[in-house]
Amino acid sequence: MKRFSGFNLIGEAFRSHQGWPEHWPDKAPKASYDAIIVGAGGHGLGAAYYLAKKYGITNVAVIEKGWLGGGNTGRNTTIIRSNYLYDESAHLYDHAVKLWDGLSQELNYNIMYSKRGVLMLAHNVHDVQSFKRHIHANRLNGVDNEWLTAEECQAYCPPLDISPNARHPVLGGALQRRGGTARHDSVAWGYARAAAALGVDIIQNCAVTGIRRGADGAIEGVETERGFIASKRVGVSAAGSTSLVMKMAGLDFPLESYPLQALVSEPVKPIFPCVVMSNTVHAYMSQSDKGELVIGAGTDQYTSYSQRGAFHIVEHTLAAICEIFPIFTRMRMLRTWGGIVDVTPDRSPVLGKTPVKGLYVNCGWGTGGFKATPGAGDLLAYTMAHDEPHKINAPYNLDRFRNGRLIDEAAAAAVAH
Amino acid sequence: MLLIHCPYCEEARPEVEFVYGGEAHIARPLDPSTYSDAEWEEFLYIRSNPRGRHHERWRHTHGCGRFFNAVRDTVTDVFETTYKAGEPRK
Amino acid sequence: MSGFRLADGGRVDRRTKRSFTFDGKAQWGYAGDSLASALLAQGQMLFGRSFKYHRPRGILGAGVEEPNALVTVDRGPGRVTPNLRAPSVPIYDGLHATSQNRFPSLKTDLLAVNNVFSAFFPAGFYNKTFMWPRGAWEKVYEPIIRRLAGLGDSPKTRDPDHYDATYAHCETLIVGAGPAGVAAALDAAAGGGRVILIDEQEEIGGGALSDPAQWGWLAEASAKLAAAGNVTVLSRTTAIGHYHQNFVVAAERLTDHLSLAEAEGPREKLWRIRAGEVVLAMGAIERPLVFEGNDVPGVMLASAARTFALRYGVAVGRKLVVMAVHDSGWRDALALQEAGVNIAAIVDLRRDIDPALAEAARAARIGCYTGYAVTKVTGRQAVTGVKIALDGVAKEQSLECDAVLMAGGWTPTVHLWSHAKGTLRWDEAWGAYLPDKSHENLRCVGACAVAWDFGSGLAIGALPAAKPLHESKAFVDFQNDVKARDIGLAVQEGFRSIEHIKRYTTNGMATDQGKTSNLNGLQIASDVLAKPVTEIGLTTFRPPYTPQSFGAMLGHHKEALFQPLRKTGIDDWAERKGAVYENVAQWRRARYFPLIGEDMDAAVARECLGVRSAVGIFDASTLGKIEVVGPDAAEFLNRMYTNPWKSLEPGRCRYGLLLGEHGFIIDDGVSARLAPDRFHLTTTTGGAARVLGMMEDYLQTEWSDLDVWLTSTTEQWAVIALQGPKAREVIAPLMEGIDLSAEAFPHMAVREGHICGVETRLFRVSFTGELGFEVNVPAQHGRMVWEAIWAEGQKHGVVPYGTETMHVLRAEKGFIIVGQDTDGTVTPDDAGLGWAVGKKKPDFVGKRSLARPDIVATGRKQLVGLLTDDPQAVLEEGAQIVADPNQPVPMTMIGHVTSSYHSATLGRSIAMALVAGGRDRMGETLHVPMPGGVISAKVVAPMFYDAEGSRLNG
Ligand SMILES: Cc1cc2nc3c(=O)[nH]c(=O)nc-3n(C[C@H](O)[C@H](O)[C@H](O)COP(=O)(O)OP(=O)(O)OC[C@H]3O[C@@H](n4cnc5c(N)ncnc54)[C@H](O)[C@@H]3O)c2cc1C
Ligand SMILES: [Zn+2]
């Protein structure tokens, strides 16, 4: 791996950049591996990297049906934050946020993690109560999250309309300064390059079509479009397709896949300094380094694998955005797209072992797993290496759907009475 | 915006008149207390989530108010058919 | 330079001049000109600066494919729109347009130093650097990069314009009104069905507008369409996208082409069209060629030059060279020459040229260089000439010229086809993806189906050149400054699928969405990889077809119509009384009624004392209400709610607790049995619709054997709560037919009668712990009855109170509010409502879940009361509770404060909290660590006032 640095960049400029090698070699599958990861999204690539880097398992393949990073990793609005309510969630997401810090250096790849702050707006008394609950819980968990008055919110994000006669007036907000964004593609590419440098095989255009189990039920390997690949350890990190892969192993999963859309505006000069989210008005937005306003929409109501959502969702999203930021009505929408998000009954992930020996899973991140990428990768790797979950991901087991120990952040935010 | 044929109104109406009701033909047990925790989990949470034909419920909330079933292809989102609640699985 | 207007020709109105400004300088053009044509006519070649290197750029195309000439149009305060494409901006009197992304001016842009250092900024450079020192990215590098990036400036003030939206239905929708689209429309019109024909340009005609020979036919066809009763023609209307089941969304621009004085009504209108059949006649877009210097201002598409000359009467130069690999370049050259534009030479890489074309060119005295390629364009801010070489590699020779036209073949516009998930097939001869199969009733006609006579040509990536790819400055994506060598670099670095290449280089991701760059990028990648295009993939097209304003998308959904605010019939009485409101679900509710000089605390204290000492009046109309009727009504409620209903006598009320099937509380409310087969249910304000939907679900799909009818009656009843020791005295004089005495009408009873002459359902219920009534009257009489009660109440010192006071009063009694003291993870037992669960009932919704291992485990959070050691300290709602305040962070939290108030009645603070194992901790002191210090509080039962309930039963 040729090191990335300003110095090497200048050096290469003098020979027209002909000396840069491949980020990752295009590998054909070997007959067997010590571990296989299904799905080359950020999570899967991260898991492969940490398996090799931290847990000493380098004979690893990441198997991807399309091109790496082309799933939700390459389709999301890249919001990163960790100010979740429950201890389990705060620990999980904060583990990731700690890894985000310094990830560029660790991977020698600028993933452009930008801590510009995530501001969540409170529009009614119920929001205020709920946000304060988060803030207090976060404080005692060592997670930064602070309360801002409406005026402070506007000072932090000048385009915000805080007039008291707004339909949903801003009563204040919860700000996590360490929250922000990162460049999604770079995250996938950075992990892929670093993993490949440690000996991980990245095998693209190779869908997993079956999972082979031995007489004792344990995992023996995966069937793919390019033949059988043996491994006693298989970690599935296939986002919206996870339940399909699990079915190949004979497991029914508490997952449903929904379309989720996002959109960007044309690029403009800097106008929007942070990330703003409003659950009550149903809008969230940031501005990319390129200058596009990056806007997340809601999920469609029905399950689908079509990667295509309905237009009225876009209408509602932009109405919500312009309700909070009325100066943007003349901005123009440049591109819309959809991803398929895998949603569990409590909208928290499943990360750990499965009833099948040697089969591990990382799924259910739904609309919010980008922020967890380094953490999820690390914890999946840990679990596969030790055949035992780490204490951070131990609560994210499948048993909770049986015993009722759900981790329901959305329910905790509750509904206005 | 999907166009959905309500088998009660016998008309195709825009999606915004309807509310999606999740997977169809998952009957609530007559006596849940006889269910084991595992069976109850399955009833509550396990869904088939197929790629392809999906049996699902819709309610014509802003129309006749009735629940009905549909078969939709989750890859193309094309409806194969819709039928009244209580009719056998299609 | 000046005088590029041809002596005659074009569709502009030469009798009507329009004046406008560009970069502050006065300019003029004719009615019918675009900003691009009017400026070109004045000799302006330089229109913009590129995104990354700030290279000078001119016009590339004459339509929506234009990547370079982006301008900001200023129509006055709040009416500033960035990033508009000059060829698509019609001029009008008073238009103010400015160029973008340059400092200080278009001609001398200091940021053009980026171009000098462009070697350091190849594709993906930012992944490779800006990592040191750690933390400098967001503090140093990112802010600089952000300032350099971005095109125009965002609008900065509120937009005074408004936007319209509508639905439309038709048998046939035709997108694109070129010859093929118009023909399809005439055809469809003859069939008698409703037809909608839409086109993004100022007038219909498409390519025919650039071909005077077709104007006669076009005029006739337009007249026919106008006369047909069943055809709607929408010009200036862009089909944004195709969605499920032939749902096409289009945006019509209504006023942007008019001067401010003429502009009236909405600015844009969104059309949501459902069509039986959709016919796509969106044409094709010419492809630029990729060679050194192809971005110098004055290098443009041949079809654009033709449009400027024949549609607008403007020559794009005095001496033009055409670089073609396609017959259409020859045809355009001939048409231009005939229109009086001087074509010096046609250079074509091909040696075999259609003899007819070659002959015609010779006859027109156009120099022909077959087998040649342009290897370089000279000039910086304008073209001064080209170098050409045989096969691109032999010895170079120079040709003088001031404009270069590129004819690289045609790319069918299949965007909407592909939005609709129609499949595409690669066509080698066309070097393009063509429409294949669709599951929608959708077809392509005309150029976008290549059913058009374009002639033939080569499909080629970069033109051959002696200079190696990695050294050349040949552009593929003009706006994003992606060069052919960037694509080469991406491939070299291991990016092999087109989606990767696109993301790594940003090719095709500019505001033109790759209309001129996608296929060239694909071809170049295929050449570099020596793999067929089909193995590299296909970038997907995503709506919108061209950028569209947010305003058009939100239409009427703004301000008051964003989400209509629900108000009760009594709301304006409260407004007149100076109420302060809060939003609850979609309603606004009076929160408190401050007297002059009072803050919330003072007002709430006064209101609370007023209720406890005399009587208060409260508007409870927002409560959800459901009428449950039928022989099986009691059985149905018995199955829905946790508590038993069958034993409830008519005339009595009961508190009902509703769980989800997961066993957690989702709603509650007091309901009354009016008759054996009739119940009046109430739900929380926010829960009404959800509860009704859930009940319908069970009724229709699980228990369809039950004979029950559910009707939402939330809006039918106004609800006036009278609470306090004087409540009975206030309503007694107004009431007819109801014996209000404690014996005849006990707590938790309901009676029907009349008040002020209108029917009422009178509930004797209390959410305050005082003697209380809820007067339900038909909503239209609510205001009148309220005023009558208010007038009567004057004798007894009645106070109006709001939701905040209601919250305090109920907390004093330990009554929960679902959503505040519960949060979707709370069971009845957790909330201390185990008494409301019918132990003997075999089943109810959620019962089975209550037996799950974690739900029956010990240590669950339970609702308790808290009394702070300092009686004046009011805990913050949401504050976290710990057993040991001295532990290090992260602390073990055992619960949180759900409700907390200063109680004027008790002269101290009170709180409710969910605490792990709370009911076993009675008397224990717990701690609430706040930023300003730890607050300690004692765990008590959640009941602070009149525990025996003597007041309520009075
Ligand atoms: C529009 C949108 C906006 C979002 N915004 C945010 C946000 O702001 N913040 C946030 O934190 N999260 C956000 N998310 C969620 C986030 O994108 C995901 O949770 C996260 O990226 C999941 O990463 P992953 O690596 O698990 O999944 P993916 O990147 O989807 O990777 C899964 C991979 O598995 C592959 N695969 C599937 N089946 C097979 C098979 N049979 N064989 C081989 N490979 C297979 C897929 O091709 C895919 O590449 C958003 C999601 C969407 C769609
Ligand atoms: Zn219906």
Side-chain angles (χ1 to χ4, degrees):
Chain A
M1 179 170 108
K2 182 180 173 114
R3 259 193 89 67
F4 285 169
S5 68
F7 182 77
N8 279 345
L9 187 67
I10 293 169
E12 279 297 327
F14 291 103
R15 48 175 183 146
S16 304
H17 300 279
Q18 291 204 86
W20 295 117
E22 290 175 325
H23 274 49
W24 52 81
D26 205 14
K27 284 284 174 77
K30 293 193 281 195
S32 82
Y33 289 91
D34 293 342
I36 285 176
I37 307 281
V38 180
H43 288 210
L45 292 164
Y49 168 77
Y50 292 112
L51 271 175
K53 176 82 183 180
K54 283 173 79 169
Y55 307 110
I57 303 175
T58 54
N59 184 24
V60 176
V62 185
I63 301 177
E64 167 57 48
K65 72 172 172 191
W67 36 282
L68 69 86
N72 291 343
T73 297
R75 295 164 186 271
N76 75 89
T77 49
T78 78
I79 297 174
I80 295 173
R81 63 182 182 90
S82 64
N83 49 356
Y84 284 73
L85 177 66
Y86 291 118
D87 296 350
E88 295 90 336
S89 328
H91 296 156
L92 178 66
Y93 289 99
D94 216 47
H95 178 59
V97 167
K98 285 182 183 134
L99 289 171
W100 279 116
D101 230 343
L103 192 59
S104 293
Q105 287 74 19
E106 165 156 11
L107 300 179
N108 179 235
Y109 205 91
N110 189 353
I111 51 110
M112 293 173 248
Y113 173 38
S114 167
K115 289 176 270 184
R116 64 182 73 156
V118 175
L119 176 62
M120 303 172 78
L121 300 176
H123 297 278
N124 53 47
V125 174
H126 179 265
D127 284 352
V128 174
Q129 289 164 342
S130 163
F131 285 15
K132 293 256 172 102
R133 183 177 170 200
H134 282 70
I135 287 169
H136 290 302
N138 290 155
R139 182 168 44 82
L140 300 190
N141 261 323
V143 175
D144 75 309
N145 192 11
E146 61 195 88
W147 177 254
L148 262 49
T149 63
E151 291 71 28
E152 288 165 340
C153 289
Q154 199 192 34
Y156 197 76
C157 183
L160 188 62
D161 177 17
I162 58 162
S163 85
N165 338 318
R167 171 66 181 85
H168 294 285
V170 175
L171 303 186
L175 172 65
Q176 185 174 39
R177 292 185 194 269
R178 265 190 315 152
T181 57
R183 172 102 189 107
H184 52 16
D185 291 331
S186 301
V187 172
W189 301 340
Y191 271 122
R193 173 171 166 270
L198 294 169
V200 170
D201 282 0
I202 295 168
I203 301 158
Q204 303 182 72
N205 296 308
C206 179
V208 168
T209 52
I211 290 185
R212 202 184 280 177
R213 294 171 62 178
D216 60 349
I219 287 294
E220 292 193 332
V222 295
E223 313 279 357
T224 76
E225 288 176 328
R226 288 154 78 173
F228 175 73
I229 311 174
S231 183
K232 296 215 171 322
R233 265 186 291 223
V234 173
V236 177
S237 190
S241 301
T242 303
S243 64
L244 302 174
V245 179
M246 285 299 155
K247 249 176 232 152
M248 299 173 192
L251 295 179
D252 289 324
F253 249 59
L255 278 179
E256 287 190 293
S257 299
Y258 289 91
L260 176 67
Q261 297 183 79
L263 60 104
V264 294
S265 74
E266 293 182 311
V268 285
K269 295 290 177 200
I271 178 85
F272 201 79
C274 56
V275 182
V276 172
M277 310 180 65
S278 164
N279 288 341
T280 297
V281 182
H282 293 297
Y284 59 95
M285 176 155 86
S286 65
Q287 187 176 14
S288 72
D289 286 335
K290 201 179 168 192
E292 298 155 330
L293 298 177
V294 181
I295 296 169
T299 54
D300 274 288
Q301 49 174 342
Y302 49 84
T303 60
S304 176
Y305 290 90
S306 69
Q307 289 200 341
R308 167 191 196 209
F311 185 73
H312 62 270
I313 307 272
V314 170
E315 287 182 52
H316 293 166
T317 300
L318 287 173
I321 287 292
C322 293
E323 187 60 24
I324 318 180
F325 308 107
I327 66 170
F328 290 135
T329 47
R330 291 178 104 86
M331 286 291 293
R332 298 195 300 170
M333 169 170 96
L334 173 58
R335 202 165 47 241
T336 63
W337 66 89
I340 308 165
V341 297
D342 44 332
V343 181
T344 65
D346 62 2
R347 282 152 288 185
S348 284
V350 177
L351 208 185
K353 298 171 69 167
T354 69
V356 174
K357 182 158 176 39
L359 183 65
Y360 307 86
V361 70
N362 166 50
C363 66
W365 291 94
T367 60
F370 177 72
K371 60 180 70 64
T373 302
D378 181 34
L379 295 167
L380 177 59
Y382 180 100
T383 309
M384 289 176 71
H386 297 84
D387 193 32
E388 207 44 68
H390 189 278
K391 72 173 190 306
I392 297 177
N393 63 308
Y396 292 89
N397 53 41
L398 278 168
D399 296 343
R400 70 183 195 266
F401 302 108
R402 187 162 307 174
N403 62 30
R405 195 171 181 75
L406 304 181
I407 307 168
D408 199 338
E409 288 281 332
V415 280
H417 47 272
Chain B
M1 176 154 354
L2 304 175
L3 198 59
I4 303 173
H5 185 267
C6 172
Y8 293 97
C9 297
E10 298 190 335
E11 243 189 84
R13 307 290 305 173
E15 182 193 334
V16 286
E17 291 184 8
F18 298 83
V19 173
Y20 179 68
E23 187 167 0
H25 302 296
I26 299 178
R28 188 175 188 274
L30 288 176
D31 184 358
S33 68
T34 62
Y35 266 40
S36 68
D37 286 339
E39 287 165 325
W40 187 244
E41 172 196 10
E42 179 162 342
F43 162 71
L44 280 183
Y45 299 131
I46 304 296
R47 297 293 177 264
S48 64
N49 200 30
R51 213 182 130 80
R53 288 182 96 228
H54 187 229
H55 291 78
E56 61 196 23
R57 310 179 327 141
W58 287 87
R59 182 177 178 218
H60 196 184
T61 309
H62 302 291
C64 62
R66 306 295 293 270
F67 278 86
F68 60 90
N69 294 326
V71 183
R72 183 177 50 92
D73 183 327
T74 60
V75 179
T76 58
D77 295 331
V78 173
F79 283 97
E80 182 183 306
T81 182
T82 56
Y83 53 100
K84 294 178 179 169
E87 286 179 23
R89 186 185 179 93
K90 292 219 166 132
Chain C
M1 280 201 288
S2 67
F4 282 81
R5 186 72 69 175
L6 294 167
D8 51 25
R11 294 173 73 83
V12 292
D13 173 2
R14 292 181 187 248
R15 284 159 312 183
T16 314
K17 278 194 180 180
R18 301 263 187 245
S19 51
F20 64 97
T21 68
F22 181 61
D23 278 345
K25 198 172 146 217
Q27 300 278 5
W28 67 273
Y30 292 124
D33 259 326
S34 70
L35 182 61
S37 67
L39 288 172
L40 283 168
Q42 309 294 325
Q44 176 93 28
M45 276 292 174
L46 179 61
F47 278 79
R49 291 279 174 169
S50 63
F51 192 82
K52 193 158 141 191
Y53 305 135
H54 290 256
R55 288 170 68 91
R57 290 285 165 76
I59 298 277
L60 180 75
V64 295
E65 69 277 18
E66 175 57 39
N68 291 326
L70 303 185
V71 299
T72 298
V73 170
D74 183 349
R75 291 170 68 86
R79 293 195 166 99
V80 177
T81 315
N83 303 345
L84 297 172
R85 294 172 297 268
S88 303
V89 174
I91 62 164
Y92 52 83
D93 277 323
L95 167 71
H96 294 293
T98 45
S99 59
Q100 301 182 160
N101 201 35
R102 78 286 185 272
F103 177 82
S105 77
L106 194 51
K107 263 187 111 80
T108 33
D109 178 8
L110 295 179
L111 296 173
V113 296
N114 285 8
N115 186 34
V116 179
F117 295 108
S118 67
F120 304 113
F121 312 134
F125 74 98
Y126 38 77
N127 290 319
K128 297 194 171 91
T129 182
F130 306 135
M131 286 178 272
W132 295 269
R134 194 170 155 161
W137 167 251
E138 75 257 20
K139 295 210 177 57
V140 184
Y141 304 120
E142 190 185 36
I144 297 174
I145 289 177
R146 296 184 121 222
R147 240 170 293 146
L148 293 178
L151 295 166
D153 278 321
S154 157
K156 298 212 165 58
T157 51
R158 199 183 270 263
D159 179 1
D161 279 325
H162 58 278
Y163 299 81
D164 197 3
T166 189
Y167 288 92
H169 302 84
C170 61
E171 275 61 50
T172 314
L173 169 69
I174 298 130
V175 181
V182 169
L186 288 170
D187 236 31
R194 292 161 297 176
V195 178
I196 299 178
L197 172 66
I198 62 181
D199 193 281
E200 63 191 341
Q201 299 207 47
E202 296 297 299
E203 51 178 329
I204 66 166
L209 297 171
S210 308
D211 184 1
Q214 296 196 53
W215 291 355
W217 166 85
L218 181 61
E220 257 169 56
S222 301
K224 260 192 228 157
L225 291 172
N230 56 343
V231 181
T232 308
V233 178
L234 300 170
S235 55
R236 295 191 190 91
T237 304
T238 303
I240 296 171
H242 182 290
Y243 295 83
H244 301 94
Q245 287 149 298
N246 274 351
F247 187 68
V248 173
V249 181
E252 182 180 11
R253 292 171 296 285
L254 298 169
T255 58
D256 272 5
H257 62 291
L258 301 171
S259 71
L260 263 175
E262 298 162 307
E264 224 178 86
R267 176 177 175 232
E268 293 177 6
K269 181 172 181 176
L270 190 75
W271 290 78
R272 311 178 191 95
I273 306 167
R274 184 76 71 176
E277 184 188 30
V278 175
V279 180
L280 299 177
M282 298 177 68
I285 292 174
E286 195 168 22
R287 231 176 287 167
L289 288 162
V290 181
F291 51 87
E292 179 92 10
N294 63 346
D295 70 326
V296 175
V299 183
M300 69 175 71
L301 298 175
S303 56
R306 177 194 182 114
T307 294
F308 287 121
L310 298 177
R311 178 167 167 195
Y312 298 103
V314 174
V316 300
R318 295 192 201 285
K319 195 171 182 192
L320 279 59
V321 167
V322 177
M323 175 66 232
V325 296
H326 197 281
D327 293 352
S328 67
W330 293 72
R331 296 181 186 176
D332 287 341
L334 291 165
L336 284 163
Q337 183 88 329
E338 196 188 317
V341 182
N342 176 20
I343 305 292
I346 301 176
V347 183
D348 196 317
L349 189 58
R350 299 172 301 167
R351 286 190 164 79
D352 275 342
I353 304 297
D354 176 352
L357 289 174
E359 184 45 46
R362 229 160 292 147
R365 296 172 183 283
I366 299 175
C368 298
Y369 297 85
T370 52
Y372 278 77
V374 170
T375 53
K376 185 178 169 62
V377 177
T378 54
R380 282 181 48 79
Q381 297 206 343
V383 174
T384 56
V386 291
K387 298 223 186 314
I388 62 171
L390 192 61
D391 294 325
V393 292
K395 193 171 160 339
E396 283 184 331
Q397 63 190 86
S398 299
L399 296 178
E400 214 178 277
C401 61
D402 60 359
V404 181
L405 308 187
M406 300 180 282
W410 294 82
T411 307
T413 303
V414 293
H415 294 66
L416 266 72
W417 174 268
S418 141
H419 296 169
K421 299 259 155 180
T423 57
L424 297 168
R425 68 181 165 84
W426 177 253
D427 186 292
E428 202 55 52
W430 276 92
Y433 281 103
L434 305 184
D436 193 16
K437 293 196 185 71
S438 170
H439 63 256
E440 299 271 7
N441 189 2
L442 181 70
R443 66 191 164 97
C444 290
V445 299
C448 72
V450 299
W452 199 255
D453 174 24
F454 286 97
S456 64
L458 289 180
I460 193 165
L463 286 185
K467 206 178 205 182
L469 183 70
H470 61 262
E471 282 171 18
S472 104
K473 280 199 174 171
F475 284 82
V476 182
D477 183 320
F478 293 90
Q479 191 183 111
N480 272 355
D481 275 332
V482 180
K483 291 173 278 198
R485 67 201 259 188
D486 291 310
I487 292 170
L489 177 63
V491 170
Q492 171 194 324
E493 293 196 73
F495 295 90
R496 301 225 157 77
S497 94
I498 195 63
E499 282 289 350
H500 272 165
I501 293 169
K502 163 180 151 187
R503 285 155 179 263
Y504 193 64
T505 61
T506 73
N507 192 59
M509 300 186 78
T511 63
D512 55 283
Q513 290 228 47
K515 292 193 177 60
T516 56
S517 56
N518 277 346
L519 275 170
N520 279 336
L522 201 54
Q523 282 282 3
I524 292 168
S526 142
D527 292 347
V528 179
L529 278 164
K531 269 191 184 171
V533 163
T534 43
E535 279 183 33
I536 297 161
L538 152 74
T539 55
T540 38
F541 296 100
R542 293 170 178 139
Y545 173 62
T546 58
Q548 298 298 327
S549 76
F550 290 6
M553 306 300 127
L554 60 101
H556 305 286
H557 297 282
K558 64 172 187 180
E559 292 154 18
L561 295 179
F562 170 59
Q563 279 171 3
L565 184 66
R566 299 179 76 181
K567 297 178 184 174
T568 73
I570 297 155
D571 179 90
D572 65 337
W573 184 93
E575 186 164 334
R576 246 180 278 155
K577 279 278 173 224
V580 174
Y581 289 91
E582 70 164 325
N583 286 349
V584 182
Q586 300 299 335
W587 298 91
R588 76 165 188 176
R589 304 190 71 180
R591 192 173 182 199
Y592 56 97
F593 293 82
L595 301 179
I596 291 162
E598 268 183 346
D599 62 5
M600 183 170 89
D601 290 346
V604 169
R606 176 182 47 74
E607 291 172 15
C608 285
L609 293 173
V611 173
R612 296 259 182 253
S613 64
V615 61
I617 186 168
F618 175 74
D619 180 6
S621 306
T622 64
L623 277 185
K625 298 168 229 38
I626 301 168
E627 192 92 344
V628 181
V629 187
D632 297 321
E635 171 64 24
F636 176 69
L637 294 181
N638 213 43
R639 296 185 191 182
M640 290 303 305
Y641 283 96
T642 59
N643 32 1
W645 289 85
K646 291 207 264 200
S647 56
L648 187 69
E649 305 262 318
R652 299 302 305 233
C653 302
R654 181 158 288 171
Y655 173 73
L657 195 57
L658 187 68
L659 310 184
E661 202 66 274
H662 50 36
F664 302 119
I665 297 173
I666 58 172
D667 205 81
D668 69 350
V670 169
S671 301
R673 188 171 201 168
L674 298 166
D677 63 349
R678 182 176 293 269
F679 289 82
H680 177 126
L681 246 58
T682 71
T683 73
T684 58
T685 293
R690 196 171 18 168
V691 170
L692 180 63
M694 172 177 167
M695 289 186 168
E696 283 287 355
D697 191 347
Y698 279 90
L699 186 57
Q700 291 184 36
T701 69
E702 301 291 353
W703 306 320
S704 52
D705 53 316
L706 295 185
D707 192 354
V708 180
W709 293 89
L710 305 173
T711 310
S712 165
T713 52
T714 303
E715 291 82 359
Q716 311 305 313
W717 298 101
V719 186
I720 303 164
L722 259 284
Q723 300 277 313
K726 303 270 177 61
R728 187 181 285 121
E729 289 154 65
V730 175
I731 55 168
L734 307 172
M735 205 57 75
E736 295 154 51
I738 301 177
D739 179 352
L740 293 178
S741 68
E743 307 70 52
F745 190 16
H747 179 53
M748 293 299 264
V750 64
R751 296 289 179 269
E752 290 176 274
H754 286 81
I755 184 167
C756 307
V758 301
E759 58 164 316
T760 181
R761 288 179 180 176
L762 184 65
F763 285 61
R764 185 167 167 200
V765 290
S766 171
F767 200 40
T768 59
E770 299 297 331
L771 166 66
F773 298 93
E774 284 182 3
V775 182
N776 287 258
V777 290
Q780 69 272 29
H781 302 300
R783 179 68 186 276
M784 178 273 286
V785 174
W786 174 280
E787 301 227 26
I789 297 175
W790 173 250
E792 192 60 34
Q794 295 311 305
K795 302 172 196 157
H796 306 280
V798 69
V799 288
Y801 68 96
T803 50
E804 189 66 22
T805 296
M806 178 264 279
H807 285 175
V808 178
L809 296 170
R810 63 87 206 180
E812 288 169 348
K813 290 292 295 175
F815 296 141
I816 66 158
I817 289 190
V818 172
Q820 177 170 346
D821 302 293
T822 71
D823 67 2
T825 66
V826 175
T827 65
D829 185 64
D830 297 344
L833 298 172
W835 57 266
V837 178
K839 304 285 174 305
K840 289 192 290 257
K841 286 172 57 167
D843 190 17
F844 55 81
V845 172
K847 180 174 165 69
R848 175 62 186 83
S849 286
L850 295 177
R852 292 188 290 176
D854 192 60
I855 309 299
V856 297
T858 54
R860 286 189 65 84
K861 290 187 180 156
Q862 294 170 331
L863 195 77
V864 296
L866 288 182
L867 288 176
T868 48
D869 291 354
D870 169 3
Q872 296 315 312
V874 180
L875 292 167
E876 187 158 278
E877 285 166 352
Q880 298 292 314
I881 298 162
V882 301
D884 168 14
N886 299 316
Q887 59 185 314
V889 167
M891 293 193 182
T892 303
M893 290 169 253
I894 59 172
H896 77 282
V897 177
T898 61
S899 294
S900 173
Y901 312 93
H902 178 79
S903 160
T905 310
L906 302 169
R908 62 152 303 140
S909 68
I910 55 167
M912 290 156 77
L914 281 166
V915 174
R919 285 199 291 275
D920 292 335
R921 293 181 188 264
M922 289 301 151
E924 226 178 274
T925 295
L926 297 176
H927 308 277
V928 178
M930 296 298 287
V934 176
I935 303 174
S936 300
K938 198 159 73 176
V939 180
V940 299
M943 166 66 83
F944 304 96
Y945 185 65
D946 186 30
E948 326 70 61
S950 58
R951 302 181 65 87
L952 165 148
N953 287 314

